[in-house]
Amino acid sequence: MRAVIVAAAVAFIISLFGTPVAIRVFTALKAGQPIRSIGLASNEGKKGTPAMGGVVFIVATLVAYVAGHLALTTLPERQIAQEKPTMTALVLLGLLVFCGAVGFVDDFLKVRKRNSDGLSAKGKLLGQAIVGTGFGIAALYTVSTNGQTVASEHISFIRDISWLDVGKVGSVIVFVFVITAMSNGVNLTDGLDGLATGASILVLGAYALIGFWQYRHWCADDAYVRVNDYCYQVRDPLEIAMIAAAAAGACVGFLWWNTSPARIFMGDVGSLGLGALIGGLAVATRTTLLSILIGGLFFIITVTWVIQIVSFQTTGRRVFRMVPLHHHFELAGWSEVNIVVRFWTVAGVCVAIGLGLFYSDFLAAVG
């Protein structure tokens, strides 16, 4: 637990004090966010606000992960099994960095062109697919000494569903889909000050708890006294907990400056990176389908966006005033702060229900 707390604390401190530096640097470089004129009150006064703030919490997460490993050297022998960096860390941090890089290219093009047109939708999807495929192969084909891989050949809910075996190739395809869907879900949510950051903190915090719980009831841990043979068949759960906690802590520090009125935006570098990391955490913890509930806000915003597009293209009618969904409520007269707080509440309820289902499965098995 100490290593997880250290990782979260270090990430928080770096992000909290590093974000003002980034604000000054990006302001000096005139890397302001181009704002489309679409008649929304929330857009007034935001033109020129520094973008690419996601660079700060990505760097903070990486440094905090190293700090967490340094803390492991002071722990009892039972907990030093994961002292060295693992394939799980390579996959999760790689998704954060490389999908963040796709977003960075998008942000850079927007700033350079001085408009909101960055990478095309196809360009983003291609970049996400390439990153997802590369790390999906690593997650499925690299086996640890205990025979575990980062991802599974089964579709999972709270654990692997035994009869849903899709094979290695199918699992890579599922991996790419999860990473792309979650990455774009967070990206669509990032439209109001602090909205995506706060929701991501809740989801990442949930995965920190899940990862640590799985570590305390890990099949690979010979010291764990099993009840009814119950344990979690995952790879490197302590790594999962550390990375999720570090990313959550980094986002908390960033939120201090990102909340309304935002002094900096996370940009696509932040939203695409965070979404990819959350998708990777879902796969690594064997909670792929449960992640739809844990990340319920992202799911709702994505689904409503799809409904709007399909409806408009097939019937010429809009179901919502505007998508993503938070803009619908803006046009309905809600203030930006009200929308953000209420959406955070929805995200929190979804996380609570998801964690409740996860824990109830444990109680049912050992009861």
Side-chain angles (χ1 to χ4, degrees):
M1 187 65 175
R2 188 185 309 171
V4 176
I5 294 173
V6 167
V10 169
F12 168 73
I13 292 170
I14 293 174
S15 187
L16 180 65
F17 293 102
T19 302
V21 177
I23 292 172
R24 290 193 292 270
V25 170
F26 289 138
T27 300
L29 294 174
K30 297 182 179 180
Q33 176 71 47
I35 302 293
R36 290 186 300 163
S37 179
I38 51 178
L40 294 174
S42 65
N43 284 352
E44 296 178 7
K46 293 187 178 183
K47 186 176 181 180
T49 302
M52 305 185 192
V55 171
V56 178
F57 55 72
I58 289 176
V59 171
T61 301
L62 295 175
V63 175
Y65 171 74
V66 175
H69 268 276
L70 293 176
L72 279 177
T73 60
T74 66
L75 296 178
E77 182 178 354
R78 173 181 174 272
Q79 294 182 302
I80 301 182
Q82 295 183 315
E83 182 179 341
K84 296 181 180 180
T86 63
M87 179 56 66
T88 301
L90 176 62
V91 169
L92 294 179
L93 295 176
L95 288 169
L96 175 65
V97 171
F98 284 94
C99 277
V102 174
F104 182 86
V105 172
D106 184 49
D107 289 333
F108 177 78
L109 291 176
K110 290 177 183 177
V111 171
R112 185 176 181 181
K113 296 176 181 178
R114 300 298 174 187
N115 61 45
S116 58
D117 296 327
L119 277 176
S120 65
K122 290 181 180 179
K124 281 186 187 180
L125 288 173
L126 178 61
Q128 292 167 319
I130 291 172
V131 173
T133 300
F135 286 103
I137 291 172
L140 265 298
Y141 287 87
T142 305
V143 183
S144 67
T145 54
N146 65 0
Q148 288 292 321
T149 54
V150 179
S152 169
E153 295 183 32
H154 297 79
I155 304 295
S156 59
F157 179 52
I158 295 174
R159 55 181 60 249
D160 283 343
I161 302 172
S162 59
W163 52 271
L164 279 179
D165 187 340
V166 295
K168 287 188 179 296
V169 175
S171 292
V172 172
I173 294 173
V174 171
F175 186 93
V176 173
F177 176 79
V178 171
I179 299 306
T180 302
M182 193 65 76
S183 185
N184 285 310
V186 177
N187 184 241
L188 288 172
T189 306
D190 182 33
L192 298 179
D193 295 350
L195 177 56
T197 308
S200 295
I201 290 169
L202 294 170
V203 175
L204 289 166
Y207 274 111
L209 292 173
I210 288 173
F212 190 74
W213 185 262
Q214 290 179 332
Y215 174 65
R216 300 300 298 179
H217 306 86
W218 190 23
C219 293
D221 183 2
D222 294 333
Y224 171 54
V225 179
R226 293 167 179 74
V227 180
N228 295 335
D229 294 325
Y230 192 93
C231 61
Y232 293 98
Q233 289 282 0
V234 296
R235 175 169 175 171
D236 313 315
L238 186 58
E239 294 278 82
I240 294 170
M242 271 200 298
I243 292 170
C251 286
V252 172
F254 181 76
L255 184 60
W256 182 270
W257 307 100
N258 181 236
T259 193
S260 183
R263 292 185 56 188
I264 188 170
F265 300 139
M266 70 166 65
D268 282 7
V269 59
S271 60
L272 295 185
L274 280 179
L277 173 60
I278 292 170
L281 289 168
V283 173
T285 55
R286 309 295 195 263
T287 57
T288 301
L289 296 179
L290 185 64
S291 69
I292 296 173
L293 182 54
I294 293 176
L297 179 64
F298 305 139
F299 177 75
I300 292 168
I301 288 177
T302 302
V303 168
T304 52
W305 180 83
V306 172
I307 290 172
Q308 181 87 326
I309 299 300
V310 172
S311 176
F312 187 74
Q313 290 184 348
T314 56
T315 69
R317 297 180 180 179
R318 292 181 172 88
V319 178
F320 306 97
R321 291 180 173 92
M322 184 182 290
V323 289
L325 187 61
H326 37 273
H327 293 323
H328 166 84
F329 289 103
E330 275 193 283
L331 292 177
W334 293 20
S335 70
E336 180 176 8
V337 173
N338 277 341
I339 296 169
V340 170
V341 172
R342 288 168 181 172
F343 275 41
W344 282 352
T345 302
V346 172
V349 170
C350 290
V351 165
I353 295 173
L355 287 176
L357 287 174
F358 179 83
Y359 188 59
S360 66
D361 175 76
F362 175 83
L363 292 179
V366 302

